[in-house]
Amino acid sequence: MRPLAAHIDLDALRHNYRIAADCAPQSRSVAVIKADAYGHGALACARALEPLAPALAVASIEEALALRAGGITKPIVLLEGFFDADELALIDEHGFWVSVHSDWQVEALLAFTPRQPIPVWLKVDSGMHRLGFEPARVAPLWHRLAAASQVGELHLMSHFATADAGDSGYFETQLETVKALSRTLEAPLCLANSPATLAHRTAHGAWNRPGVMLYGSNPLEVDNPIAASLRPVMSLRSKIISLREIAAGEPVGYGGRWRAPRPSKIAVVAAGYGDGVDRHAADGTPVLVDGQRCAIAGRVSMDMLTVDVTEVASAAIGSEVVLWGESAGGARLSVDEVARHCDTISYTLLTGVLPRVPRYYSGT
Ligand SMILES: *Cc1c(COP(=O)(O)O)cnc(C)c1O
């Protein structure tokens, strides 16, 4: 069998959830498991988190229904609400909670007769300019929804554009906008994503919405002591399938991008962009071979990639290669570090692991 697999450590997931929850002991923390739990497998992650988290959050009703079909009974928040008024009957039947960000959603909700009131997170555009109502429009909407029999518990929700940044100027502007509304309306808040959960206590509300930190990634631009205690949940591991010696000056891979600066030992690894390994991985992108750091040399191909293992005496066919996460021996390679070499973020690497890569679960 092809040796590439994503090993998912559910104990690490629960450890990270506890850290997120402990960052904000006055808040309830909804575990964000959209996009197949950032590539980790939504149902397995939901089952692991359900005993700890008071609610789970996904991006769409399809994702939420798959969790219900798998036996998940906790509240599930639809972060973008419904995409069509037809979804309201299922939302009511399954007890989903909805974000409401557009006028047509308000009208559809108020024209519907649910069996039980639907909890609503009214979304304010406090400055990200993606989803949500302009702040000046929120008070009348809030009062209308608060008075409606269709609406259960009502919260004010907003999302930050720059909570991860070292410079918190714009973050503070957004926060003040939504806090001013909250004071006037006496509205409970749901604001904090992972970076705000970790680094901005002032943004903690009745609910927080940590996502990527649950999977062990540090979403902040800077080092952070709490983030350092997160554990990687996914370890993407493969093996060396071929080895060769090449002379100084010889090129490796498509386009000959990498050239050996010295006589070199090159390992071929079974993992490529057809598995979700980013083709933008630059020469020098770190990997672990037998637990030892070395570097990608040459362009990532569809099914294979090449690594300079000149310094790894033990490297042999069958040697373990970690693309990110933890080696069998416990050595770590952070997905955040790998992402920087690919000119991207951990989110795209984790969600980008393709279905042909088997997921193996450990922990309960
Ligand atoms: C994805 C998402 C989150 C979680 O963000 P992280 O940066 O992964 O913590 C929170 N809120 C909303 C609305 C989201 O879409």
Side-chain angles (χ1 to χ4, degrees), residues 6 106 126 142 155 171 185 212 240 266 271 292 294 298 316-317 334 337 361:
V106 174
S126 58
W142 177 270
H155 285 79
F171 167 85
L185 302 169
V212 80
I240 294 178
I266 299 297
Q292 236 177 285
C294 34
I317 290 177
S334 133
E337 184 186 352
Y361 292 90

Side-chain angles (χ1 to χ4, degrees), residues 72-309:
I72 300 299
T73 58
K74 276 276 164 74
I76 301 175
V77 188
L78 308 182
L79 289 170
E80 288 155 50
F82 42 95
F83 294 84
D84 193 295
D86 291 352
E87 294 170 27
L88 281 163
L90 283 169
I91 285 168
D92 182 33
E93 180 185 337
H94 292 282
F96 298 147
W97 303 2
V98 295
S99 148
V100 166
H101 56 75
S102 292
D103 286 301
W104 74 265
Q105 289 177 321
V106 174
E107 300 313 323
L109 182 61
L110 298 184
F112 179 69
T113 311
R115 296 176 309 179
Q116 59 203 351
I118 298 174
V120 171
W121 292 4
L122 178 62
K123 189 149 191 185
V124 190
D125 175 11
S126 58
M128 178 143 176
H129 303 323
R130 196 176 60 177
L131 287 183
F133 293 98
E134 281 170 50
R137 294 203 46 220
V138 167
L141 287 164
W142 177 270
H143 293 305
R144 232 180 121 200
L145 290 169
S149 61
Q150 290 91 338
V151 176
E153 242 195 307
L154 187 56
H155 285 79
L156 208 54
M157 170 191 190
S158 198
H159 198 60
F160 295 112
T162 63
D164 57 327
D167 168 7
S168 61
Y170 198 65
F171 167 85
E172 297 295 344
T173 306
Q174 282 196 262
L175 183 63
E176 189 40 49
T177 299
V178 74
K179 288 250 165 154
L181 281 171
S182 157
R183 281 190 294 269
T184 321
L185 302 169
E186 294 180 24
L189 289 173
C190 177
L191 308 177
N193 53 1
S194 295
T197 298
L198 278 165
H200 297 290
R201 201 170 287 272
T202 50
H204 296 173
W207 285 93
N208 289 342
R209 306 188 304 271
V212 80
M213 70 178 291
L214 306 181
Y215 309 98
S217 162
N218 174 13
L220 301 168
E221 278 179 358
V222 293
D223 288 339
N224 173 284
I226 304 170
S229 67
L230 298 169
R231 284 163 49 189
V233 177
M234 184 193 293
S235 296
L236 188 62
R237 296 192 204 135
S238 188
K239 286 184 177 167
I240 294 178
I241 59 168
S242 177
L243 273 168
R244 73 195 54 249
E245 311 268 351
I246 61 169
E250 288 295 316
V252 172
Y254 284 118
R257 182 182 72 183
W258 188 83
R259 268 178 197 279
R262 55 180 177 183
S264 301
K265 191 162 64 165
I266 299 297
V268 180
V269 180
Y273 63 79
D275 304 299
V277 175
D278 197 329
R279 188 175 169 279
H280 300 100
D283 292 331
T285 301
V287 301
L288 302 177
V289 174
D290 285 342
Q292 236 177 285
R293 284 175 75 98
C294 34
I296 286 181
R299 278 199 184 122
V300 172
S301 311
M302 187 183 289
D303 311 303
M304 287 172 273
L305 56 82
T306 38
V307 177
D308 179 359
V309 293

